[in-house]
Amino acid sequence: VQQSLTVCVTGAAGQIAYSFIPLLLSGQVFGQVKINLRLLDIPKMETALKGVVMEIEDCAYPLIGDIQTGSNPKELFKNCDLIVFLGGFPRLPGMERKDLLQKNANIFKEQGEALQEVGKDDVKCVVVANPANTNCLILSRYATKIPRQNFTCLTRLDQNRAYAQVALALNKPLNSLKNIIIWGNHSTTQYPSIEHATADGQSFVLPDQGQFIERIQKRGAEVLNARGNSSVFSAANAVKDHIKDWFNGREDTLLSLGVLSNGEYGVQSGLCFSYPIRCLGAFKYEIVGNLELSDFSKQKLKVTEEELIQEQGLAESI
Ligand code: NAX
């Protein structure tokens, strides 16, 4: 039984951190485990970070250990068991996708180098900041001493969105559903698949599969348009689910996490690709590599893989 864990959150003065930190410190991720917290953001956010720390103190969480804040990953990544990467460069008006990729690639290069220098050999990483898959790949490239299976990116929000939409479409409770899978990139090319899914143990079809796929692919934009702001507490909730299931294991269903490919399903090895994953507990997992895919699914996997290859090329040209 784990007595305490040291967890770093980057982008800690940002929106998702503000929803995620309370979940972490109230025991909803690791249960009754003491958490030593490291909060990283850029120097400009120093005062805002102080405010976050004040609020953490004011919650009087029984589980809180020591807290450190700062802007230097080489200081804050030391001794961490887990790092949640929420910090990134936002897409500003008029900015090209290429510029966004490269700005973030630079951040993840620097953080990967810091991990390589000061990180624990078995630190676990969850990349949320966009482009999440490619940021995760860059991070892993510069932190070669850490096992490749320790790098993951978040596609759990997409998975949760898919479960919710299927439950609504079939008018079934969420817990009757299993094995809905998100394949590929956390972007509009992702492939939310019901090919291996069941409802009450039975496979099913949707009234309009095309509409379902497109809805999940574009759900982030749908929320943004309605709220005038991106997804925040649903994202924090998905980070909680991702870490909790990765840590504890889940027997009852396949889960979706972005992980570094070893070539499963013909995907280029090394890409960070969202796959069907069986979480085995104690942060162990396996990629389920033997599902039968229809031609339709194979074609969808190709599209999202091609986008990831292109992103990788752009990120590498920094
Ligand atoms: P915010 O802009 O509110 O917060 C980001 C924080 O990162 C800011 O406080 C900023 O100062 C900080 N930051 C920037 N550069 C940094 C650096 N080099 N080191 C440390 N911190 C740095 O964004 P928020 O709404 O919290 O979203 C965080 C990230 O999650 C964004 O990149 C966003 O695109 C991404 N998302 C990913 C999702 C996923 O499913 N993978 C869904 C939700 C979200 O859109």
Side-chain angles (χ1 to χ4, degrees):
V1 176
Q2 203 87 34
Q3 295 302 306
S4 75
L5 286 166
T6 300
V7 179
C8 181
V9 178
T10 81
Q15 304 187 88
I16 297 177
Y18 197 75
S19 285
F20 174 68
I21 292 167
L23 298 176
L24 178 69
L25 297 180
S26 60
Q28 296 187 57
V29 181
F30 292 110
Q32 297 302 301
V33 173
K34 195 172 116 187
I35 305 290
N36 300 313
L37 198 58
R38 306 288 176 259
L39 301 176
L40 177 78
D41 211 297
I42 52 179
K44 198 175 80 177
M45 302 305 282
E46 195 186 331
T47 308
L49 261 191
K50 284 199 178 122
V52 172
V53 173
M54 288 179 214
E55 286 209 59
I56 293 170
E57 288 169 359
D58 295 350
C59 287
Y61 290 117
L63 293 175
I64 187 74
D66 66 323
I67 308 178
Q68 287 176 27
T69 61
S71 56
N72 184 355
K74 286 188 189 162
E75 282 169 20
L76 294 190
F77 288 176
K78 264 183 216 160
N79 297 321
C80 283
D81 299 295
L82 172 76
I83 305 175
V84 184
F85 294 86
L86 303 174
F89 200 91
R91 186 164 193 161
L92 301 174
M95 211 165 139
E96 301 256 345
R97 208 169 79 97
K98 183 168 182 267
D99 301 332
L100 181 76
L101 266 154
Q102 292 180 346
K103 283 248 184 262
N104 281 290
N106 272 317
I107 293 174
F108 280 83
K109 172 175 183 270
E110 185 202 333
Q111 295 186 347
E113 286 168 348
L115 261 188
Q116 180 74 359
E117 197 177 315
V118 306
K120 263 173 106 165
D121 289 347
D122 65 346
V123 60
K124 311 296 184 295
C125 300
V126 183
V127 177
V128 179
N130 279 317
N133 300 55
T134 298
N135 288 341
C136 183
L137 175 152
I138 298 293
L139 186 72
S140 71
R141 289 273 172 86
Y142 290 93
T144 48
K145 72 169 185 185
I146 294 156
R148 50 196 269 113
Q149 63 269 25
N150 293 16
F151 294 95
T152 66
C153 86
L154 187 79
T155 53
R156 182 60 176 262
L157 177 56
D158 307 296
Q159 181 193 304
N160 286 347
R161 287 167 172 167
Y163 271 80
Q165 291 305 315
V166 169
L168 287 170
L170 300 182
N171 197 20
K172 294 258 191 192
L174 277 158
N175 64 8
S176 69
L177 304 174
K178 289 190 200 318
N179 301 338
I180 300 171
I181 299 165
I182 306 296
W183 298 87
N185 200 1
H186 167 69
S187 75
T188 53
T189 66
Q190 68 175 268
Y191 171 41
S193 166
I194 56 156
E195 191 170 19
H196 305 94
T198 58
D200 294 323
Q202 307 287 316
S203 59
F204 58 87
V205 289
L206 290 171
D208 188 340
Q209 182 179 227
Q211 190 189 54
F212 162 74
I213 293 173
E214 197 181 331
R215 181 131 211 214
I216 304 308
Q217 290 173 331
K218 297 189 178 162
R219 184 65 162 184
E222 199 183 346
V223 171
L224 180 66
N225 290 339
R227 237 168 64 77
N229 201 343
S230 55
S231 305
V232 178
F233 68 72
S234 57
N237 178 67
V239 176
K240 180 256 296 168
D241 288 344
H242 174 115
I243 301 169
K244 184 179 169 187
D245 288 344
W246 185 16
F247 177 65
N248 290 315
R250 265 298 278 280
E251 305 252 305
D252 61 322
T253 184
L254 298 176
L255 298 164
S256 296
L257 286 70
V259 296
L260 298 181
S261 170
N262 311 295
E264 291 84 356
Y265 299 95
V267 170
Q268 188 180 98
S269 183
L271 290 178
C272 179
F273 197 89
S274 182
Y275 275 123
I277 301 283
R278 185 164 288 120
C279 286
L280 306 170
F283 282 120
K284 302 235 174 322
Y285 68 82
E286 57 189 26
I287 300 174
V288 175
N290 59 356
L291 299 176
E292 282 288 327
L293 297 185
S294 63
D295 288 343
F296 177 80
S297 292
K298 284 181 191 158
Q299 187 247 331
K300 293 278 180 206
L301 259 66
K302 262 275 151 294
V303 172
T304 193
E305 180 197 7
E306 272 161 24
E307 184 184 46
L308 283 168
I309 293 171
Q310 203 188 42
E311 284 190 10
Q312 174 182 238
L314 288 171
E316 276 171 348
S317 59
I318 50 174

